[in-house]
Amino acid sequence: MFAAVLDTCVLWPSLQRDLLLSLAAEGVYRPLWSDRILEELEYEEARKLEDRGATAEQAQVRAAALIGQMNGAFDDSCVTGWERLDGTYGLPDPDDEHVVAAAEFAGAGAIVTMNTKDFPSDRLPPSIGIQTPREFALNTVEVSPTAAAVAVRTLADRSGQQGRKRSPQSILDDLDRIYSMSEATMLIRPLIT
């Protein structure tokens, strides 16, 4: 199965993260991350929640719960052993070296990131491509539009369990509007009834 490392910046926006992980739950690809990516995500998620009004303690508890849910749902996604490769790529931002190290060590075919300029292709192993979330969503949905439609329906069902029921169409609308994923959502819309 195709595997991709999801960078922190891709996992931080809630709906984008939920879509990408829901696609993975449908077996379209295997998500990967490192403990360092999860540490960064937990920190950024707590900051986001505090900015939205949660107390520091509430934010930390909810951010830790998110990481626990991700690890529980994808118990083989956290790459270990990448540390020996860290610092060997000469990336523009040395703080991004761990992402490539995890991808190479795990045999990932892609790194999904918003920071494409921080991962110049001439510094990466040739087997690893860089994709934005928009590109990755399209490529992944093209593999199985039916599985993608199931993933969006699951997102809608989960929103109801969280007390704010959303329709699959409204989720697709937000993916278009907020994340510019219109190419991917165009393939899913006809399959959502």
Side-chain angles (χ1 to χ4, degrees):
M1 177 182 297
F2 186 78
V5 169
L6 305 177
D7 197 3
T8 305
C9 60
V10 170
L11 293 167
W12 182 78
S14 302
L15 181 57
Q16 180 172 273
R17 174 185 61 237
D18 290 348
L19 173 69
L20 295 178
L21 294 181
S22 293
L23 290 168
E26 292 304 317
V28 182
Y29 79 100
R30 180 177 174 222
L32 297 171
W33 45 69
S34 66
D35 54 350
R36 186 147 166 212
I37 289 171
L38 293 180
E39 287 167 8
E40 290 174 358
L41 177 60
E42 185 172 353
Y43 173 80
E44 294 298 336
E45 184 71 12
R47 282 187 43 196
K48 174 174 64 176
L49 293 170
E50 281 187 68
D51 289 347
R52 293 180 178 171
T55 66
E57 183 179 340
Q58 292 168 334
Q60 188 55 50
V61 167
R62 288 173 54 194
L66 169 65
I67 302 308
Q69 289 171 337
M70 289 173 59
N71 278 327
F74 302 99
D75 60 0
D76 65 343
S77 290
C78 194
V79 179
T80 58
W82 56 267
E83 295 83 358
R84 65 181 174 82
L85 297 173
D86 192 18
T88 63
Y89 304 99
L91 296 180
D93 183 350
D95 288 340
D96 289 325
E97 292 271 335
H98 68 98
V99 178
V100 180
E104 183 174 18
F105 192 80
I111 294 171
V112 185
T113 184
M114 295 297 297
N115 303 322
T116 57
K117 69 180 182 340
D118 292 339
F119 297 92
S121 61
D122 64 338
R123 305 280 175 90
L124 301 178
S127 60
I128 299 173
I130 298 297
Q131 297 181 34
T132 65
R134 179 181 171 206
E135 293 166 331
F136 187 73
L138 174 59
N139 294 336
T140 306
V141 169
E142 284 178 329
V143 169
S144 180
T146 303
V150 171
V152 171
R153 280 192 215 98
T154 301
L155 281 176
D157 291 344
R158 230 180 2 248
S159 72
Q161 294 167 0
Q162 296 168 349
R164 43 189 190 105
K165 179 69 175 151
R166 299 189 60 198
S167 71
Q169 291 295 345
S170 73
I171 290 171
L172 293 174
D173 291 344
D174 281 351
L175 290 168
D176 283 350
R177 183 177 56 79
I178 300 168
Y179 305 107
S180 302
M181 292 184 177
S182 58
E183 296 94 344
T185 62
M186 184 174 63
L187 297 173
I188 300 170
R189 282 186 194 280
L191 304 173
I192 300 288
T193 55

